[in-house]
Amino acid sequence: MSKQYSESLRIGILLALAGGFLDAYTYLCRGKVFANAQTGNMVMLGISFLEGNTTNVIKYIIPIIAFAIGVLLAEIIRHSLLEHEKIHWRQAVLAIEIVLLIFVAFIPYDYIANTLISLICAMQVESFRKFHGNAYATTMCTGNLRSGTEKLVIFIKNKDRKHLKIALQYYFIIFIFCFGAFIGGIFSRNIGRKAILISCIPLVLSLVIMSYKRE
């Protein structure tokens, strides 16, 4: 039986590289915010409600809604293309991500750009949730750190090297995310807003890899 590479570690590495890049980009080029995850926006939303600041309520709730819409779009694509013989639904998600990232490079307004990046990251985190059967995320690291440390504790307790291997894979994904942020920082400081185009490279590579099938 043929299968996609969409849950392979190499895809996880490429997507984590892009995820780290986007976090550095939004912080350095788009107003010192992190658009990949929404915890900070939710905290600021609660504070804005407390202060009665209607402007900030709108400011923080829109990226949260955009993230939810991104998840919704990914699921719609999945259900629409799940039985398609030639196109894997995750390939369609990556193609949309690439197009939107190119669009973001030419948007002068930081708020709109960050909202779109939130939507893009939501599509990615919803579509790519496993590598080698283990749950992980490519746009944030908290869950990966928890899962990796949990597997490490199991290894220490049971001496089962399988869990050590999985723990090291999680830590490696975290390292790649940080390296992506490092690369993103270099390009963002030297190129500016157009630096986001560089983040399309690992996504294009992922798209190409997923085009190949194996027995």
Side-chain angles (χ1 to χ4, degrees):
M1 294 179 63
S2 61
K3 63 179 181 180
Q4 290 283 334
Y5 282 117
S6 57
E7 293 186 7
S8 68
L9 185 58
R10 68 186 67 180
I11 294 295
I13 289 171
L14 290 169
L15 296 183
L17 193 66
F21 192 109
L22 289 177
D23 245 1
Y25 170 82
T26 56
Y27 185 81
L28 293 173
C29 296
R30 295 295 187 173
K32 296 187 181 298
V33 299
F34 297 110
N36 288 23
Q38 298 304 308
T39 303
N41 285 332
M42 291 180 181
V43 172
M44 295 307 298
L45 178 64
I47 293 173
S48 299
F49 270 119
L50 177 65
E51 296 175 344
N53 190 329
T54 306
T55 301
N56 277 352
V57 167
I58 296 173
K59 174 183 177 181
Y60 292 114
I61 201 169
I62 289 179
I64 295 172
I65 293 173
F67 193 92
I69 291 174
V71 173
L72 178 64
L73 286 176
E75 284 300 304
I76 290 173
I77 293 170
R78 182 172 74 88
H79 286 290
S80 299
L81 298 177
L82 193 60
E83 302 299 328
H84 201 284
E85 294 182 358
K86 295 183 178 180
I87 302 175
H88 193 281
W89 68 274
R90 291 189 179 98
Q91 290 176 298
V93 169
L94 284 178
I96 293 172
E97 282 189 48
I98 293 166
V99 171
L100 290 177
L101 287 173
I102 294 172
F103 183 62
V104 167
F106 299 94
I107 295 177
Y109 306 106
D110 291 347
Y111 186 68
I112 296 175
N114 289 331
T115 299
L116 280 176
I117 291 173
S118 293
L119 185 146
I120 291 166
C121 290
M123 293 180 69
Q124 182 169 308
V125 77
E126 177 66 14
S127 302
F128 297 88
R129 296 186 290 179
K130 290 184 178 181
F131 71 88
H132 294 180
N134 299 294
Y136 82 125
T138 57
T139 62
M140 58 197 80
C141 289
T142 306
N144 296 338
L145 182 59
R146 184 207 64 80
S147 298
T149 306
E150 179 185 61
K151 294 297 182 181
L152 182 61
V153 171
I154 294 174
F155 164 72
I156 293 172
K157 181 180 179 180
N158 299 331
K159 307 302 179 185
D160 187 342
R161 296 185 65 84
K162 176 183 72 176
H163 295 290
L164 176 61
K165 179 181 178 181
I166 296 173
L168 293 176
Q169 287 175 340
Y170 274 115
Y171 292 140
F172 184 62
I173 289 292
I174 293 171
F175 168 78
I176 292 297
F177 184 92
C178 295
F179 183 68
F182 172 75
I183 297 297
I186 292 175
F187 281 103
S188 295
R189 289 185 183 279
N190 289 280
I191 300 177
R193 291 174 177 172
K194 299 295 191 300
I196 197 171
L197 295 173
I198 304 298
S199 69
C200 293
I201 295 174
L203 298 182
V204 170
L205 290 175
S206 298
L207 195 59
V208 171
I209 290 173
M210 288 176 60
S211 298
Y212 291 92
K213 296 183 178 181
R214 63 179 178 179
E215 293 298 318

